Structures are given as C-alpha cells and as structure tokens.
C-alpha cells in the first residue's frame, strides 16, 4: 500500500513541515493509516495519491488542504500535535 503526498514548491517550509507532521501522527494514531507508509515530497503541484483506497485518499487530501488553507497558522488538526513538550504535556496552547 503506497500513499504519496506531493506538496507544491510554492508552499512555505512551515506548512510543508506541518504536512510531514500530519502524516507521521496519522500513521501513529489513526486506524485508517496505522502501519502504512506515507511519503511526503515536493513537486510542481499539491496532490495526494493512495493506490489502494480512494476514500482514504480523499480524507487525506482534505486534511492536507486544511493545512494549506491555514497558511501560517496551524490548522485544528496540527495545533495539538506534540511538539517537544515536557513529559505529560502534549499539544500547543
């Protein structure tokens, strides 16, 4: 099962980093993505490809689009990702 997220070169590094973090968290916490390989790279356009599950592809595409729409502000999906927090604390205020 191969899932690929391609992020346009014009997307900021901050947003690209949040999309990479989104992929990692989904693999660790969402049963739809657990144990799957999700590769994230740069390309001409932003697109999501899941060769095995079009519904999962659509879900991931919506999550990526949410990050793109959020711009410099984290979306609701990544705002609470653990980010070098002290033990016992997770997410951002």
């Amino acid at each position: 099962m191969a899932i690929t997220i391609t992020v346009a070169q014009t997307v900021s590094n901050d947003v690209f980093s949040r999309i990479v973090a989104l992929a990692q968290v989904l693999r660790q916490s969402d049963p739809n993505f657990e144990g799957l390989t999700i590769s994230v790279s740069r390309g001409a356009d932003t697109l999501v490809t899941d060769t095995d599950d079009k519904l999962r592809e659509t879900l991931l595409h919506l999550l990526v689009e949410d990050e793109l729409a959020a711009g410099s502000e984290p979306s609701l999906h990544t705002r609470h990702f653990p980010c070098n927090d002290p033990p016992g604390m997770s997410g951002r205020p």
Side-chain angles (χ1 to χ4, degrees):
M1 292 186 231
I3 300 173
T4 304
I5 302 171
T6 305
V7 181
Q9 296 288 348
T10 56
V11 173
S12 73
N13 288 333
D14 183 50
V15 174
F16 180 79
S17 295
R18 290 199 321 262
I19 292 171
V20 170
L22 172 68
Q24 292 171 345
V25 168
L26 288 173
R27 284 196 332 258
Q28 296 169 357
S29 64
D30 187 315
N32 294 303
F33 299 97
E34 281 181 358
L36 299 177
T37 299
I38 303 174
S39 63
V40 184
S41 62
R42 291 284 195 164
D45 298 309
T46 298
L47 56 99
V48 176
T49 306
D50 184 331
T51 58
D52 294 322
D53 188 330
K54 291 301 175 189
L55 185 58
R56 187 173 56 209
E57 176 182 279
T58 301
L59 171 61
L60 186 54
H61 180 77
L62 291 171
L63 293 171
V64 168
E65 287 295 322
D66 192 38
E67 288 303 325
L68 295 172
S72 62
E73 292 296 318
S75 74
L76 290 176
H77 305 291
T78 55
R79 185 172 296 150
H80 300 289
F81 286 175
C83 185
N84 298 324
D85 293 327
M89 302 292 291
S90 65
R92 298 178 181 148

